[in-house]
Amino acid sequence: MSRPMLDKLELPLVQDITTHDRRVLVEHKPPGMAGSLVQNLGREGEHIVISGVATGPDALATTQQLDDLFRSGAPVPFLADIVADADLQLVLVEDLHLKDLAGKPQRFAYTLTLREYIEPVKPQTLNVADNDLLGDILDDARDKIDEIADGIAAIDSIAPQFERFVTQISDLLARLKAAASQ
């Protein structure tokens, strides 16, 4: 049995490894049906918590390397017998707790929280020229924008024609307010 390895660092005196797996299930309730449908969306990234103690002359250097891995935020390789069947390649150091153990020089307790790194899916690029439907939608949108721009431009030529009604509408509004107050 080998010691767990995080990147090139062999984790010393590991006392506990806990793994958490979670499946993502979504329940759909179609209208008009008495029951529901359950859809399996796969699983979330595996979550691993490792507790141990670093001791000896290299203890401080080990805790510094753990801190560097945590602060880098980069995915690193992880190897441990307990998760060998999980086909776990890369992990992110999600959380790190370090504790200087009193009464014992050069002795530090550590707790690492690791999350499986899953490569993000690159967005698919769409070429509008190759897709007739997208081209039609884009053309319709351009036509609507042109119509709106023409309507805004026409307001300047129509506005002077409504100036003669402003006094009549203002007078009507004043009479309505007077009638409402009585």
Side-chain angles (χ1 to χ4, degrees):
M1 184 165 140
S2 65
R3 285 188 183 175
M5 298 277 296
L6 184 62
D7 199 17
K8 296 173 184 156
L9 177 65
E10 191 171 324
L11 298 175
L13 298 174
V14 172
Q15 297 173 345
D16 186 41
I17 295 181
T18 307
T19 62
H20 301 278
D21 293 319
R22 209 178 244 178
R23 181 136 321 265
V24 180
L25 300 174
V26 178
E27 180 181 14
H28 301 283
K29 294 185 179 185
M33 284 186 64
S36 62
L37 303 170
V38 178
Q39 181 181 7
N40 182 359
L41 297 178
R43 67 174 181 85
E44 291 181 353
E46 191 160 345
H47 183 200
I48 302 163
V49 179
I50 300 173
S51 298
V53 176
T55 185
D58 296 334
L60 192 57
T62 300
T63 58
Q64 185 60 47
Q65 287 176 326
L66 288 172
D67 188 55
D68 291 344
L69 290 172
F70 170 65
R71 291 185 187 280
S72 75
V76 294
F78 177 69
L79 176 65
D81 291 343
I82 195 165
V83 293
D85 291 336
D87 194 30
L88 192 62
Q89 301 294 322
L90 297 173
V91 295
L92 295 171
V93 181
E94 192 172 83
D95 198 12
L96 171 66
H97 292 277
L98 295 171
K99 189 182 338 178
D100 189 0
L101 297 176
K104 301 282 186 177
Q106 299 176 338
R107 192 165 184 182
F108 301 92
Y110 62 88
T111 302
L112 286 166
T113 303
L114 307 175
R115 172 80 59 188
E116 179 181 9
Y117 177 73
I118 299 172
E119 185 74 32
V121 178
K122 294 189 180 183
Q124 185 179 16
T125 58
L126 296 175
N127 189 353
V128 176
D130 294 341
N131 193 328
D132 291 337
L133 178 61
L134 289 177
D136 292 344
I137 292 171
L138 186 60
D139 290 341
D140 288 346
R142 285 183 182 138
D143 291 344
K144 294 295 180 192
I145 289 173
D146 290 342
E147 289 174 15
I148 292 171
D150 292 343
I152 291 172
I155 289 175
D156 290 336
S157 63
I158 296 173
Q161 297 174 7
F162 288 104
E163 288 178 358
R164 62 183 175 169
F165 297 111
V166 172
T167 56
Q168 294 173 358
I169 292 173
S170 298
D171 185 44
L172 175 64
L173 184 60
R175 288 188 296 181
L176 288 174
K177 285 183 179 177
S181 65
Q182 294 176 358

